Amino acid sequence: MNIGLPNIAPVNPTPLHARLAHSDNVSKQKMASYANIHRHTSPSQLQPGDRVLVKQRKKNTLTTPFHPRPYTIIQKKGSMITAQRGDQHLITRNSSHFKQVQPGPLPEDEDEEDAPPSVAPPYTPSSGPPQYLPSPGRRLSTTQPAAATPSPVRATPSTAEMSGIASRPARQRHAPTHLKDYDLT
């Protein structure tokens, strides 16, 4: 309201750069709150000491979304979480990469990267023959002469039949009929 009296200017006016910095901060806060509302963000409920699973890169169709061995959160700063597995492996990720697991005993098996390669037990005569058997109707070596007559249907049961597991039906193989006049030996 102008009453005709002269105004006294303030002795220390706010510098231009300070006013611009303030208005810049206000507008950045408005943009951040708008983005958070439209992205449906919420603060993370994870706290230091919680056990979590970490997202892993998909290598093939059998890869699980989260690594099966749990980590323990040791530090949290905003959405940045630092977690540790055992005493050696330390990772820092965004809170969206973690999933909290229910408390329970820690698994004692080794990680696949840390585990030594598995070795098959040595063959001993008392353990029986090795179980690497060819499928019915197939030969192991190609040095045997081919038979002119079809091989009989297998007389001995396969290992799958002996163990009680149903096997797939095998096609009976015969020599072609147009070659029956020729000697194939």
Side-chain angles (χ1 to χ4, degrees), residues 16-30:
L16 179 62
H17 64 85
R19 288 183 293 183
L20 291 176
H22 177 71
S23 66
D24 184 47
N25 286 336
V26 170
S27 61
K28 284 180 180 178
Q29 287 174 358
K30 285 182 185 178

Side-chain angles (χ1 to χ4, degrees), residues 107-141:
E108 297 192 16
D109 59 335
E110 294 180 356
D111 191 14
E112 58 269 2
E113 295 93 18
D114 302 337
S118 62
V119 177
Y123 171 73
T124 57
S126 63
S127 66
Q131 298 299 317
Y132 304 111
L133 300 176
S135 62
R138 296 189 77 184
R139 287 179 279 159
L140 288 177
S141 67

Side-chain angles (χ1 to χ4, degrees), residues 137-139 141-152 173-176 179 182-185:
R138 296 189 77 184
R139 287 179 279 159
S141 67
T142 58
T143 58
Q144 298 175 351
T149 60
S151 63
R173 299 179 182 180
H174 302 283
L179 295 177
Y182 299 100
D183 185 21
L184 297 175
T185 57

